[in-house]
Amino acid sequence: PMASAGAARNVDVLSYVSSGNVRGTTGSVYAEVASELVGAPSTNGATVVELDATGNRPALYTTSPSLLSIYDGTTEAKDSTFNGSASIQKVASSWGSGMKTFISGSAGSGASFDGNMDIGTNIRVGERGSAGAGTTTPWFGTIRNVRIWTRQYSDQQLQMWTT
């Protein structure tokens, strides 16, 4: 309880070392997410998984309430069926021979991959690395069962996992 005024607290963000846990040239990410603020993500993106501490390589993030994306610094692969629901949705992305996102068993439009996700020193779950500058939106809701692999799984596997 507060005596007279509210106090600020840190945002809930999981951060851990990327070395040995993620590869810039190939990989896949899976998570189960729900948004408490449906329709709230900014154009800068509410991030589920960020691979670069400078906030430039999100493996799963929203660019609007209906877009789930992966971005390699050059190209963005998007899925426009994300509904920012308060209900849990299974989502995934992969990079290697192209990039693609998956939501609830549905694959988004793929994109070419520039060959390097330019992995930083830390993986962040729940917020992009540059969020401290106030330029991004933290994920308001649930992120659970995050899995990160150092290989690109097939579309069929990611589709099955997100169904």
Side-chain angles (χ1 to χ4, degrees):
M2 301 294 154
S4 60
R9 73 177 193 89
N10 292 333
V11 176
D12 294 325
V13 177
L14 171 64
S15 177
Y16 59 99
V17 177
S18 59
S19 179
N21 292 312
V22 67
R23 188 178 302 152
T25 55
T26 58
S28 300
V29 173
Y30 168 89
E32 296 170 5
V33 300
S35 176
E36 297 298 323
L37 300 176
V38 177
S42 72
T43 55
N44 289 325
T47 302
V48 178
V49 177
E50 169 63 45
L51 303 176
D52 176 18
T54 63
N56 295 325
R57 303 298 183 271
L60 283 171
Y61 77 112
T62 61
T63 53
S64 78
S66 63
L67 289 176
L68 184 76
S69 304
I70 177 174
Y71 180 62
D72 65 6
T74 305
T75 310
E76 193 171 34
K78 302 175 184 179
D79 188 322
S80 60
T81 63
F82 185 70
N83 65 14
S85 173
S87 301
I88 292 290
Q89 296 179 83
K90 296 176 181 180
V91 297
S93 67
S94 66
W95 62 95
S97 61
M99 297 186 303
K100 197 173 271 188
T101 57
F102 296 81
I103 301 170
S104 302
S106 173
S109 59
S112 61
F113 177 52
D114 72 6
N116 190 357
M117 286 296 280
D118 195 23
I119 304 299
T121 56
N122 293 304
I123 299 167
R124 295 171 59 91
V125 177
E127 188 175 43
R128 290 173 78 172
S130 60
T135 59
T136 62
T137 303
W139 188 267
F140 290 102
T142 301
I143 301 174
R144 69 180 192 196
N145 296 331
V146 174
R147 294 180 172 96
I148 302 171
W149 295 278
T150 58
R151 63 174 275 205
Q152 183 178 27
Y153 280 100
S154 71
D155 290 356
Q156 293 79 13
Q157 288 169 305
L158 293 174
Q159 184 176 26
M160 179 183 68
W161 293 337
T162 58
T163 300

